[in-house]
Amino acid sequence: MFRLSQYMDQLHRPSPVRRRRGPPRPVVIWNLTRRCNLRCKHCYTVSADVDFPGELTAAQARETLEDIGRFGVPALILSGGEPLLRDDLFSLARRARALTRVLALSTNGTGVIGAKADRVAEIGFDYVGISIDGIGATNDAFRGVIGAFDQALAGVRSCKRRGIKVGLRFTLTEDNAHQLPDLLRLCDDEGVDKFYLSHLVYAGRGNKHRGDDAAHTPTRRALDLLIARAAASHEGAPPLEIVTGNNDADAVYFLDWAAARFPEDRVAHLRAHLEAWGGNASGVGVANIDTQGDVHPDTYWSDYTIGSVKETPFSALWTGDDPMLAELRRRPRPLKGRCGACMHRAICGGNTRIRALQLTGDPWAEDPACYLTDAEIGVAPGAERLTVRPFTGDRHDPQPWFT
Ligand code: SF4
């Protein structure tokens, strides 16, 4: 996750660079249930409004939560499916509140109303992220249910009324990129605290619809808008925390933006911060537990399982000798193609490896969603690059690099 507003602040109010000592404890994104009342086009968990067998029982979930707490994860994000549809969500959340420093809820927002919103407020979530992929009918088309936009907006308003920090989560594609200005306006009109732009990841339904991924030019325009909005907060506009996810090239794009406007020493300071961050954190600073209890390097790597919390505690799996985790934690990573030759890999970390894997079967191939030009990444002009082929049903061996 690239915290754009935070790095914008570094250009205006520099603070010392903090370097990690040893491997960090990961932020854990925990998909508590695959059940969901919506049917989103890009859903990476391929959720539906049915019971899915094999999900963690209340006792297994509770045991996992205690282990996570003892392990000392800095943040826990309860997600789904739609997490509010899990019966023991509030009992788990109440215990999680006591065990983790930062507790967040990732929801489609349609159920954060009335008594449920009261309980969310009472538990004291640090943040509630609500997914909205466009205004009105655009959102509803993405989410597969008419009225989903109005319901999600009601959820946003419920949170605001109860003093809960709330953010909009927007997945950028060809079909909704034009509505980004409206979404930012909506944030300001509703007093939303945070805006998260996710680039499309080719996983679950997102892989089937990868042909809809925003092309490089609209992606750059989207970043221009976000940077302008983050800058405006330093010029009197209301505060709006802006973050992006799943395309760490955003950090390099922002560095170039800063280099054209700020003195050299400030830009060098920003670069030092970005290198300390290091870009893609799959398997390092982020971990995923899916609804079945399987642990993955991040939410999109459902094809690669480190182990199951039904058999082994999360803490033991994460600190064990899993070969893919060891690879992801290597520095520098064994990147290939444009990513291997890129002069900014120390900032970006090679971006989102699952996209490379889905297109080529090789997790170390270049990320096809990098929208930076050859000149911007310091490679010879005209070098061949990977392009995104629409999904045709072909499938790579899920773990070809170990077989
Ligand atoms: S070429 Fe690869 S490493 Fe360089 S910025 Fe783009 S995605 Fe990141």
Side-chain angles (χ1 to χ4, degrees), residues 249 252 335 338-339 342 344-345 348 350-351 367 370 372 377:
V252 178
L335 299 163
R338 293 178 98 236
C339 291
C342 172
H344 297 299
R345 9 188 235 289
C348 165
N351 212 339
D367 183 338
C370 181
L372 301 175
I377 63 166

Side-chain angles (χ1 to χ4, degrees), residues 1-20 251-252 254-255 258 264-280 344 346-349:
M1 180 183 293
F2 170 55
R3 297 183 182 278
L4 170 58
S5 294
Q6 195 174 300
Y7 291 110
M8 181 69 80
D9 290 348
Q10 286 301 328
L11 291 169
H12 294 271
R13 290 187 299 274
S15 65
V17 177
R18 280 184 302 175
R19 301 205 180 268
R20 281 192 208 126
V252 178
F254 176 57
L255 184 67
E264 245 173 62
D265 59 335
R266 233 5 107 80
V267 177
H269 174 77
L270 175 63
R271 173 177 273 279
H273 265 282
L274 293 173
E275 287 185 353
W277 162 65
N280 178 265
H344 297 299
I347 291 176
C348 165

